Amino acid sequence: MSITAQQAATPPVSVTPVLEGRGLTKYFSVKHGRGLFAGTARLFAVDDVTIALAAGTVTALVGESGSGKTTVARMLAKIINPDGGEVRLDGKPVPHGRPRSYARQVQMVFQDPFASLNPIHRISYNLVRPLTIHHLGGDDVNEAVEELLRRVALEPPQQFTRKFPHELSGGQRQRVAIARALSVRPRVLLADEPVSMLDVSIRLGILNLLADLRDRDRLAILYVTHDIASARYLADTIVVMYAGQVVETAPSTRLTDYPAHPYTQLLLSAAPDPDRAEPPSLAGSGAPPSLITPPSGCRFHPRCPHAMAICSTTAPPSVTVGPGHASNCWLHVDSSRRVPDNPEVVAAKASSTSMRPSAAPPK
Amino acid sequence: MSEMSPSAPAPSTPSHSFTRQAEPVLEIRGLNVDYGFGTEAVHAVVDCDLVLRRGQVLGLAGESGSGKSTLSMAAIRLLRSPGVITGGEVLFHPRPVEGESSGATIDLLRADEAALRRVRWSEISVVFQSALNALNPVITIGAQFDDLLKVHRPHLSSAQRWDRGVELLEMVGMTGDRLRSYSHELSGGMRQRAMIAMALALEPQVMILDEPTTALDVVTQREILEELMGLRDRLGFAALFITHDLSLLVELADEIVVMYAGRLMERAPAASLFRAPRVPYTYGLLHCFPPMHGERKPMEGIPGSPPDLRALPSGCSFHPRCPWAMERCRKETPVLTRIDASGREAACWLHSDGATVPTELAVADPGDRGLSAATRRVAR
Amino acid sequence: MSTDVTTLLAGPEPAPTARGSRAIRFPRSPKIIAGLVILAVFAVLAIIGPIISPYSPNEINQNWVKITCQQGPGLCIGEIKDGVPGGYVPLEVPLGPSSAHPLGTTLLGQDVWSQLLNATRPTLVVAFLAGLVATALSILVGVSAGYLGGSADEGLSLLSNVFLAIPGLPLLIVLASYVPGADTSVIVIGLIVALTGWAYGSRVLRAQTLSLRNRDFVEAARVSGEGRLRIILAEVMPNLLPIIASSFLFTTLYAIGAYVSLAFLGLAGTPTSSPAGPWNWGIMLQQVFDNNAVNTGYWWWWLPPGICIALVGTSLALLNFGIDEFINPRLRAVGLTRKAARKAGIGFRATLGFTPVVGGQKAPVSSVSGSNDGREGSAR
C-alpha cells in the first residue's frame, strides 16, 4: 500500500488522461407543478462538468446527495448518455451507445453490494460471464476466476466460487463486485460510493484494495463519495461538486488543508473531526438549491457568506489558485476583471480574505 | 468460569468528575434481548448495563448487528417481533415533583401497557433514522402535532395546539408555515427536524436518537446536531445517541459506550475514549476513520468482518479480529468491569491480572483536560 | 451458464451454513403441500380417467319400467327391469349411488362417475394449456414492455390495456361461437381462453420488470457487456419466477372458470353431437341445470362436478398463497414466530408495540458460549 508514495503532492503531469468527460451535461424530465398547471420541467442534474482520469491515479468526486456526482459516474460508464458534452477514451470521443469494446476498458463498481450482485447467481457466474463475453478466459477459466478472487483478497478462492451472494458479508460482496469489474482487465474503474453501505470497520480494507489497484495495476480510478475524509485518504485529486457543477479541483491534501471555494470550506467544517479543538462554525447554512430553477450566476451564492453582486448574475470562471488547484469562485478572480465594483463588494471581499487560505499557498 | 462476578459491575458509581453531578434518569441493568425463541434464539443483547444521567448525552457506538438499536428499542419495549426481552430491568426515574425528593421509579420491563403509554413520548421520545417512515404520509405535519397534543395535552384549545406546533417548529429551525406541509414535501433534513420537534413536543426527559442523521448530508447533519445540542442545553433532556459513526460521537457525547456483538466492550468519557482507548475493538474502530489533517498514512481498519450473531466466536466475540488475542480470549468471555482507579471500564482480558497491556491501549487518560466540545459548551 | 462449472467446484466443500447453499429454497409450507397433493390427485385422474372409467360417459343405460295398475287409478306398481323394452316405458328418473353406479346416474341413465372421469382430462388440459399460453404471452408482452421501455412499452401497454378493458366473457362467447373447431377441440378452446386471459399477468410482470431493470445488478451486467436478450433471460427473468408462477396459477384458475362457463352456455361442444365435443365439468353442470336437478334433490348428479371445480380452484389458490408467503417474508415470519413461541412454551399476548418480556432473570452468559471459531474473521 503506497499511499504515502503517491503522496508527493505534485499534481499528475498532464499526459492524455485515459478517460475524460468534457462539458458533460445531463437533464432529467420531471413533473413540475400541481394540478392544472402540472407540466414537465428540466432538472439539470449535471451541468457542464469536465473531469479527467489519468492512469495510476485516484480521482475523488465529492459532493452531497443530489450534487450530480453519481450521474457523472454513470455518464462516464455510459450507462446513461449525456445530453451535452462528450466522453473521451484516450483522447478519442466514444460514439453513442455502449460498444462492447468500451466495457473492456471502463468498468464500474456500484454503491450497494447487496443490490449489485444478482441473488440467483453464484459468485463464479458473476466472474465467468465477463470472461466469456470478452473471450478472456484463456485455457483455464477456473484458474482465472480463482486468480481474480485472490486479487481482491478473498482467500481461499475455492471457498467462494460456489457461494451465493447472500452467504457473503457486505465487505466480501463488494470485493466480489470489484473482482467482477477487474475480470475484463479494464484500465478505468469507476467506483460509485463503494464503501458507504459497508460497516466502518471494513471500509478501509476496500479503500486499500482500490489504492493497491491504482499502484500495482496503474488503474485510473474514479472514487465517488460524500465522505471527504476518505477522499483525502485515498485520492490523489479531489473534485468537489455542488448542485451539478464542479466548484473546486485540487490535489487531495491541498484541498482539505487549503480549501479555496466557500462551499468546500463549508463541507470541511461540517465533516466529523474529533481532533477539532473548537466546535466548528458553519459558514453558509441552508440547503442546496432546486435544480429545476437553479440560481443565476454562481449556484452557491444564496448560501455563500462572501457573496458579491456579480455572484448572483454571472457564473464564475475556473480560476487557478495554485499548482493543480482550481476554484470556480469570483473571490479568486482579480478584482480588476470584475465588472461591478461597488464599495459594498470591496468590503465583502476584504472581510473574506481571512477565509481565503489559498491566497497564501504553502511552499 | 472467570473469577469475576458475573453480575453487573456497579455501573452507577463512575468516578469521573463530570458525570457525578447529575442524577440518573434512565438505568438499564442486565438487559438481555433475543430474537426468536428456544434453540433458534439469537442473543442480540447480552447483559447490558447503561446509565443515562439528566442532561447527559450518552453515545452508543457500534457496527451493524452490534445490538445498539436493539438495546435502545428493547429498553422502551418498542422492539418488533420476533424480539423478546429475556431478562434485566429498565428503571426510569421521573423528574422529581416539587415537595418530594423524587418521583416513583418505574421498571419499564414490568410496567403494564397503560404505564408504558404514559411514559412513552411524554417522558421518553424516539427519533428514528428514517423520518419518512416515522411520519404519517397522508396528513400534514400540523395535523400530527395536533393529534399528539390533543391526546397528551387535552386542556389546550385548537388554536393553542397550532401555536405550540409553530413554536416547536421554530425551535428546530423551521418556519411555522411548514405545519401545512406533508412529509413528502419536505427535504430529508426538514423531515428529521420535524421529527425532532415532534419528539420534543411533550418536553420529554429522555430522547433516544437512533442514527438520527445517518441518512443526511454532512452539512445538514452538522446543522441539526448543533440545534439538537443547543436544545439539550436549554431544555435539559438527556439523550441516548446511537450511531455507527464514532468520530461524530466523540465530538458530541459526554460519555461513550462501545458495543460489539451484543455486548458492551468499553465505557468512558468521550475524550478519554478517543485519546486513550482501552479495548482493542475501540482502538481499531477509532483507526477506521481517516483523519482530516496531517500527513496521510496507510491505515488498516479492522481485519475480518463483524460476526454473524447466529454463529458467534467462542470466548470474546472480537478475538478472531483482535491483534492481541490471547489463549484466554478464545475460551472465556470478558465482561465490562472497572480496570483502574480512575474508573475506566472495559471488557477485555488484556486488562486482567497477569496480562501485559499493549502500549497502544495504555495511553495516559487525558481525563477532564480533553473534554468534548459538547461538554465544554455545557460547562460554559 | 455455458461454462463448465462442475470442475470449478472441485475445491474443498465450503462449510455448510444454516441457510443452505441454494438461491431459491423450496418452500415447505403446508399450503403448498396441500395444493400440490390435491392437484396431483386430479392429474392422475386426468391421465387414467378414461381408462378406468366403468362405462362410456355417453352410454345411455336406460332403466325401463313396466307399470301395472291394479284396481283403479292411484294404485300403480312399477317394476323396474334392465334390458329389452317390451311393454316397458323408460324410467326418466336419475338413480342414486349404487354398487353398479358409484355416483349414481343421470336422467338418461348415464354413469356420473364415468362422466366425471372422462371430463377431468379435457377440463384440466384446457385450463393448463390456457394458463401456459397466457403466461407465455404475458411474459412476452409484459417483460418486453418493461425492459425495453419507450415507444415499445407504450405500444405493448396499449395492447394489454385493450385486452384488459374488453369484458372477458362476451369476448369469449363471440370467439367460441365463431372460431371453427371451438366446439370440438380442447386446443382451440384453450387458445381462445388464453387470448382473453393474458393481459392482467402482463401488467403485473411489466411493473415488476420496470423495477428490476434499473437494479444495480442489471446495470452491472450491462456495464460488463452483456447483451440485451441475455440480460432479460439470465438476470431479469429468474427474479420474476415467483411472480410468473403466481400469474400462471391465477390464469389457470381463470381458465377453469372460463371453460366451465363456456361449456355451461353450450359453446364448448356437446359430447353426443356429431362431431362430438369433449366431456367436461361444465357440460355436466349444464345438463344438471337443464334437468332442474338441483331443485329436485339429485345431489349425486350436480355435486361431483361442483366439488371438482372447487377443489382444483382451492389447490391453485393454496399454491398461490404459498408462493405469496415465499415472496413476502413478512407473511411467513409472523406465523413462524407464533408457532415457535408456542413450541417454546411461552404463552404471551403479542401486542403490537409492546415487546414481550419472558422468563425470569436469566443467569448472565459470561463464559464460553457459541462454538464457531470466527469463520468470518479468517475469510479475509
Side-chain angles (χ1 to χ4, degrees), chain C residues 149-191:
Chain C
S151 49
D153 181 18
E154 291 195 359
L156 292 171
S157 290
L158 182 70
L159 187 70
S160 58
N161 284 342
V162 165
F163 271 89
L164 265 181
I166 298 175
L169 196 62
L171 178 67
L172 267 179
I173 292 169
V174 170
L175 284 174
S177 351
Y178 286 98
V179 174
D183 50 352
T184 51
S185 160
V186 286
I187 308 285
V188 172
I189 203 93
L191 293 179

Short mmCIF file of all heavy atoms in Angstrom, two decimals, chain C residues 149-191:
data_model
loop_
_atom_site.label_atom_id
_atom_site.label_comp_id
_atom_site.label_asym_id
_atom_site.label_seq_id
_atom_site.Cartn_x
_atom_site.Cartn_y
_atom_site.Cartn_z
N GLY C 149 -38.99 -0.38 -22.58
CA GLY C 149 -39.39 0.99 -22.29
C GLY C 149 -39.70 1.78 -23.56
O GLY C 149 -39.81 1.22 -24.66
N GLY C 150 -39.87 3.07 -23.40
CA GLY C 150 -40.08 3.95 -24.54
C GLY C 150 -41.32 3.61 -25.34
O GLY C 150 -42.36 3.22 -24.79
N SER C 151 -41.21 3.72 -26.67
CA SER C 151 -42.39 3.54 -27.50
C SER C 151 -42.81 2.08 -27.55
O SER C 151 -43.99 1.77 -27.68
CB SER C 151 -42.12 4.06 -28.91
OG SER C 151 -40.91 3.55 -29.40
N ALA C 152 -41.84 1.16 -27.41
CA ALA C 152 -42.20 -0.26 -27.36
C ALA C 152 -43.11 -0.51 -26.17
O ALA C 152 -44.13 -1.22 -26.27
CB ALA C 152 -40.94 -1.12 -27.25
N ASP C 153 -42.75 0.11 -25.05
CA ASP C 153 -43.56 -0.04 -23.85
C ASP C 153 -44.96 0.51 -24.07
O ASP C 153 -45.96 -0.12 -23.73
CB ASP C 153 -42.86 0.68 -22.69
CG ASP C 153 -43.62 0.56 -21.38
OD1 ASP C 153 -44.48 -0.34 -21.28
OD2 ASP C 153 -43.34 1.35 -20.47
N GLU C 154 -45.02 1.68 -24.71
CA GLU C 154 -46.32 2.30 -24.90
C GLU C 154 -47.22 1.45 -25.78
O GLU C 154 -48.40 1.26 -25.48
CB GLU C 154 -46.14 3.70 -25.49
CG GLU C 154 -45.51 4.61 -24.46
CD GLU C 154 -45.62 6.09 -24.81
OE1 GLU C 154 -46.18 6.40 -25.87
OE2 GLU C 154 -45.14 6.90 -24.00
N GLY C 155 -46.64 0.92 -26.86
CA GLY C 155 -47.44 0.09 -27.77
C GLY C 155 -47.94 -1.17 -27.08
O GLY C 155 -49.12 -1.51 -27.13
N LEU C 156 -47.02 -1.86 -26.42
CA LEU C 156 -47.38 -3.12 -25.78
C LEU C 156 -48.34 -2.90 -24.61
O LEU C 156 -49.26 -3.70 -24.39
CB LEU C 156 -46.12 -3.84 -25.30
CG LEU C 156 -45.20 -4.35 -26.42
CD1 LEU C 156 -43.88 -4.84 -25.86
CD2 LEU C 156 -45.89 -5.46 -27.21
N SER C 157 -48.13 -1.80 -23.90
CA SER C 157 -49.04 -1.50 -22.79
C SER C 157 -50.44 -1.21 -23.31
O SER C 157 -51.43 -1.64 -22.72
CB SER C 157 -48.54 -0.29 -21.99
OG SER C 157 -47.38 -0.62 -21.29
N LEU C 158 -50.49 -0.51 -24.44
CA LEU C 158 -51.79 -0.22 -25.04
C LEU C 158 -52.51 -1.52 -25.37
O LEU C 158 -53.68 -1.71 -25.06
CB LEU C 158 -51.60 0.64 -26.29
CG LEU C 158 -52.91 1.04 -26.99
CD1 LEU C 158 -53.65 2.05 -26.15
CD2 LEU C 158 -52.64 1.60 -28.38
N LEU C 159 -51.76 -2.45 -25.97
CA LEU C 159 -52.33 -3.74 -26.34
C LEU C 159 -52.92 -4.43 -25.12
O LEU C 159 -54.08 -4.89 -25.12
CB LEU C 159 -51.24 -4.60 -26.98
CG LEU C 159 -51.70 -5.92 -27.58
CD1 LEU C 159 -52.53 -5.69 -28.82
CD2 LEU C 159 -50.51 -6.80 -27.90
N SER C 160 -52.13 -4.52 -24.05
CA SER C 160 -52.63 -5.25 -22.89
C SER C 160 -53.78 -4.48 -22.22
O SER C 160 -54.71 -5.10 -21.69
CB SER C 160 -51.51 -5.55 -21.89
OG SER C 160 -50.89 -4.37 -21.47
N ASN C 161 -53.72 -3.17 -22.27
CA ASN C 161 -54.82 -2.40 -21.70
C ASN C 161 -56.12 -2.64 -22.47
O ASN C 161 -57.19 -2.73 -21.88
CB ASN C 161 -54.49 -0.91 -21.70
CG ASN C 161 -53.52 -0.56 -20.60
OD1 ASN C 161 -53.35 -1.33 -19.66
ND2 ASN C 161 -52.87 0.57 -20.73
N VAL C 162 -56.01 -2.74 -23.81
CA VAL C 162 -57.19 -3.01 -24.61
C VAL C 162 -57.80 -4.34 -24.20
O VAL C 162 -59.00 -4.47 -23.96
CB VAL C 162 -56.83 -3.02 -26.11
CG1 VAL C 162 -57.94 -3.65 -26.94
CG2 VAL C 162 -56.56 -1.60 -26.59
N PHE C 163 -56.94 -5.36 -24.03
CA PHE C 163 -57.47 -6.67 -23.67
C PHE C 163 -58.03 -6.68 -22.25
O PHE C 163 -58.94 -7.43 -21.93
CB PHE C 163 -56.38 -7.74 -23.81
CG PHE C 163 -56.35 -8.32 -25.19
CD1 PHE C 163 -55.58 -7.75 -26.18
CD2 PHE C 163 -57.13 -9.44 -25.50
CE1 PHE C 163 -55.58 -8.26 -27.47
CE2 PHE C 163 -57.13 -9.95 -26.78
CZ PHE C 163 -56.35 -9.36 -27.77
N LEU C 164 -57.45 -5.83 -21.39
CA LEU C 164 -57.98 -5.73 -20.04
C LEU C 164 -59.34 -5.05 -20.04
O LEU C 164 -60.22 -5.37 -19.24
CB LEU C 164 -57.02 -4.90 -19.17
CG LEU C 164 -55.99 -5.65 -18.34
CD1 LEU C 164 -55.18 -4.67 -17.53
CD2 LEU C 164 -56.65 -6.66 -17.42
N ALA C 165 -59.48 -4.09 -20.97
CA ALA C 165 -60.70 -3.28 -20.96
C ALA C 165 -61.89 -4.02 -21.56
O ALA C 165 -63.02 -3.82 -21.16
CB ALA C 165 -60.46 -1.98 -21.71
N ILE C 166 -61.64 -4.90 -22.55
CA ILE C 166 -62.75 -5.65 -23.15
C ILE C 166 -63.29 -6.62 -22.11
O ILE C 166 -62.53 -7.35 -21.49
CB ILE C 166 -62.25 -6.46 -24.37
CG1 ILE C 166 -61.72 -5.50 -25.43
CG2 ILE C 166 -63.37 -7.31 -24.93
CD1 ILE C 166 -61.13 -6.22 -26.60
N PRO C 167 -64.60 -6.66 -21.92
CA PRO C 167 -65.16 -7.61 -20.96
C PRO C 167 -64.84 -9.03 -21.41
O PRO C 167 -65.04 -9.39 -22.58
CB PRO C 167 -66.66 -7.34 -21.00
CG PRO C 167 -66.81 -6.04 -21.69
CD PRO C 167 -65.61 -5.83 -22.54
N GLY C 168 -64.34 -9.86 -20.51
CA GLY C 168 -63.82 -11.17 -20.86
C GLY C 168 -64.86 -12.14 -21.40
O GLY C 168 -64.68 -12.72 -22.47
N LEU C 169 -65.99 -12.26 -20.68
CA LEU C 169 -66.93 -13.32 -21.06
C LEU C 169 -67.58 -13.07 -22.42
O LEU C 169 -67.61 -13.97 -23.26
CB LEU C 169 -67.98 -13.48 -19.95
CG LEU C 169 -68.76 -14.80 -20.04
CD1 LEU C 169 -67.82 -15.99 -19.89
CD2 LEU C 169 -69.86 -14.84 -18.99
N PRO C 170 -68.06 -11.85 -22.69
CA PRO C 170 -68.61 -11.61 -24.03
C PRO C 170 -67.60 -11.91 -25.14
O PRO C 170 -67.94 -12.53 -26.15
CB PRO C 170 -68.97 -10.13 -24.00
CG PRO C 170 -69.19 -9.82 -22.57
CD PRO C 170 -68.26 -10.70 -21.81
N LEU C 171 -66.36 -11.53 -24.93
CA LEU C 171 -65.34 -11.79 -25.94
C LEU C 171 -65.18 -13.30 -26.13
O LEU C 171 -65.12 -13.80 -27.27
CB LEU C 171 -64.01 -11.17 -25.52
CG LEU C 171 -62.86 -11.41 -26.49
CD1 LEU C 171 -63.08 -10.70 -27.81
CD2 LEU C 171 -61.53 -10.95 -25.88
N LEU C 172 -65.15 -14.01 -24.99
CA LEU C 172 -65.06 -15.46 -25.04
C LEU C 172 -66.21 -16.05 -25.85
O LEU C 172 -66.02 -16.91 -26.71
CB LEU C 172 -65.14 -16.02 -23.62
CG LEU C 172 -63.86 -16.28 -22.86
CD1 LEU C 172 -64.20 -16.81 -21.49
CD2 LEU C 172 -63.01 -17.28 -23.61
N ILE C 173 -67.42 -15.55 -25.56
CA ILE C 173 -68.61 -16.10 -26.22
C ILE C 173 -68.53 -15.86 -27.73
O ILE C 173 -68.76 -16.77 -28.54
CB ILE C 173 -69.88 -15.46 -25.63
CG1 ILE C 173 -70.05 -15.92 -24.18
CG2 ILE C 173 -71.10 -15.81 -26.45
CD1 ILE C 173 -71.10 -15.17 -23.41
N VAL C 174 -68.14 -14.66 -28.08
CA VAL C 174 -68.05 -14.32 -29.50
C VAL C 174 -67.03 -15.23 -30.19
O VAL C 174 -67.29 -15.85 -31.22
CB VAL C 174 -67.68 -12.84 -29.68
CG1 VAL C 174 -67.34 -12.55 -31.14
CG2 VAL C 174 -68.82 -11.96 -29.20
N LEU C 175 -65.85 -15.32 -29.55
CA LEU C 175 -64.80 -16.11 -30.16
C LEU C 175 -65.21 -17.58 -30.25
O LEU C 175 -65.03 -18.23 -31.28
CB LEU C 175 -63.51 -16.00 -29.34
CG LEU C 175 -62.74 -14.68 -29.50
CD1 LEU C 175 -61.58 -14.64 -28.54
CD2 LEU C 175 -62.26 -14.52 -30.93
N ALA C 176 -65.79 -18.09 -29.16
CA ALA C 176 -66.14 -19.51 -29.13
C ALA C 176 -67.21 -19.82 -30.16
O ALA C 176 -67.25 -20.92 -30.71
CB ALA C 176 -66.61 -19.90 -27.74
N SER C 177 -68.09 -18.85 -30.42
CA SER C 177 -69.13 -19.16 -31.40
C SER C 177 -68.63 -19.07 -32.84
O SER C 177 -69.15 -19.72 -33.72
CB SER C 177 -70.34 -18.23 -31.25
OG SER C 177 -70.25 -17.47 -30.11
N TYR C 178 -67.59 -18.24 -33.07
CA TYR C 178 -67.20 -18.04 -34.46
C TYR C 178 -65.96 -18.79 -34.88
O TYR C 178 -65.79 -19.10 -36.05
CB TYR C 178 -67.02 -16.54 -34.74
CG TYR C 178 -68.35 -15.85 -34.84
CD1 TYR C 178 -68.89 -15.15 -33.78
CD2 TYR C 178 -69.10 -15.94 -36.03
CE1 TYR C 178 -70.12 -14.55 -33.85
CE2 TYR C 178 -70.34 -15.33 -36.11
CZ TYR C 178 -70.85 -14.63 -35.04
OH TYR C 178 -72.07 -14.05 -35.12
N VAL C 179 -65.08 -19.08 -33.92
CA VAL C 179 -63.85 -19.78 -34.32
C VAL C 179 -64.19 -21.24 -34.61
O VAL C 179 -64.79 -21.92 -33.79
CB VAL C 179 -62.79 -19.70 -33.20
CG1 VAL C 179 -61.59 -20.55 -33.54
CG2 VAL C 179 -62.40 -18.25 -32.97
N PRO C 180 -63.84 -21.72 -35.81
CA PRO C 180 -64.15 -23.12 -36.13
C PRO C 180 -63.34 -24.04 -35.23
O PRO C 180 -62.19 -23.77 -34.90
CB PRO C 180 -63.74 -23.23 -37.59
CG PRO C 180 -62.80 -22.10 -37.84
CD PRO C 180 -63.17 -21.01 -36.90
N GLY C 181 -63.95 -25.12 -34.81
CA GLY C 181 -63.25 -26.10 -34.00
C GLY C 181 -63.38 -25.84 -32.53
O GLY C 181 -62.94 -26.65 -31.71
N ALA C 182 -63.99 -24.69 -32.16
CA ALA C 182 -64.11 -24.39 -30.74
C ALA C 182 -64.99 -25.40 -30.03
O ALA C 182 -64.86 -25.62 -28.83
CB ALA C 182 -64.66 -22.99 -30.55
N ASP C 183 -65.88 -26.01 -30.77
CA ASP C 183 -66.79 -26.94 -30.11
C ASP C 183 -66.27 -28.37 -30.06
O ASP C 183 -66.86 -29.23 -29.44
CB ASP C 183 -68.17 -26.90 -30.78
CG ASP C 183 -68.06 -27.04 -32.28
OD1 ASP C 183 -66.91 -27.02 -32.79
OD2 ASP C 183 -69.10 -27.18 -32.94
N THR C 184 -65.17 -28.63 -30.76
CA THR C 184 -64.69 -30.00 -30.72
C THR C 184 -63.28 -30.11 -30.16
O THR C 184 -62.94 -31.12 -29.56
CB THR C 184 -64.68 -30.62 -32.14
OG1 THR C 184 -63.99 -29.71 -33.00
CG2 THR C 184 -66.07 -30.88 -32.63
N SER C 185 -62.46 -29.11 -30.31
CA SER C 185 -61.05 -29.26 -29.98
C SER C 185 -60.71 -28.53 -28.68
O SER C 185 -60.99 -27.35 -28.52
CB SER C 185 -60.19 -28.69 -31.12
OG SER C 185 -58.90 -28.40 -30.65
N VAL C 186 -60.10 -29.27 -27.73
CA VAL C 186 -59.68 -28.63 -26.48
C VAL C 186 -58.55 -27.64 -26.74
O VAL C 186 -58.39 -26.66 -26.04
CB VAL C 186 -59.24 -29.66 -25.43
CG1 VAL C 186 -60.43 -30.39 -24.86
CG2 VAL C 186 -58.21 -30.61 -25.97
N ILE C 187 -57.75 -27.90 -27.78
CA ILE C 187 -56.64 -26.99 -28.09
C ILE C 187 -57.19 -25.63 -28.48
O ILE C 187 -56.76 -24.58 -27.96
CB ILE C 187 -55.78 -27.55 -29.24
CG1 ILE C 187 -55.35 -28.99 -28.96
CG2 ILE C 187 -54.60 -26.65 -29.53
CD1 ILE C 187 -54.25 -29.12 -27.94
N VAL C 188 -58.17 -25.65 -29.40
CA VAL C 188 -58.71 -24.37 -29.88
C VAL C 188 -59.34 -23.60 -28.74
O VAL C 188 -59.10 -22.41 -28.55
CB VAL C 188 -59.73 -24.63 -31.01
CG1 VAL C 188 -60.44 -23.33 -31.37
CG2 VAL C 188 -59.05 -25.23 -32.22
N ILE C 189 -60.13 -24.31 -27.93
CA ILE C 189 -60.81 -23.60 -26.84
C ILE C 189 -59.78 -23.08 -25.83
O ILE C 189 -59.91 -21.99 -25.28
CB ILE C 189 -61.88 -24.50 -26.19
CG1 ILE C 189 -62.94 -23.64 -25.49
CG2 ILE C 189 -61.31 -25.44 -25.18
CD1 ILE C 189 -64.09 -23.33 -26.36
N GLY C 190 -58.71 -23.88 -25.61
CA GLY C 190 -57.65 -23.44 -24.69
C GLY C 190 -57.01 -22.16 -25.18
O GLY C 190 -56.76 -21.23 -24.40
N LEU C 191 -56.74 -22.09 -26.48
CA LEU C 191 -56.11 -20.89 -27.04
C LEU C 191 -57.03 -19.69 -26.93
O LEU C 191 -56.59 -18.57 -26.65
CB LEU C 191 -55.72 -21.14 -28.49
CG LEU C 191 -54.60 -22.17 -28.69
CD1 LEU C 191 -54.31 -22.37 -30.17
CD2 LEU C 191 -53.32 -21.75 -27.96
#
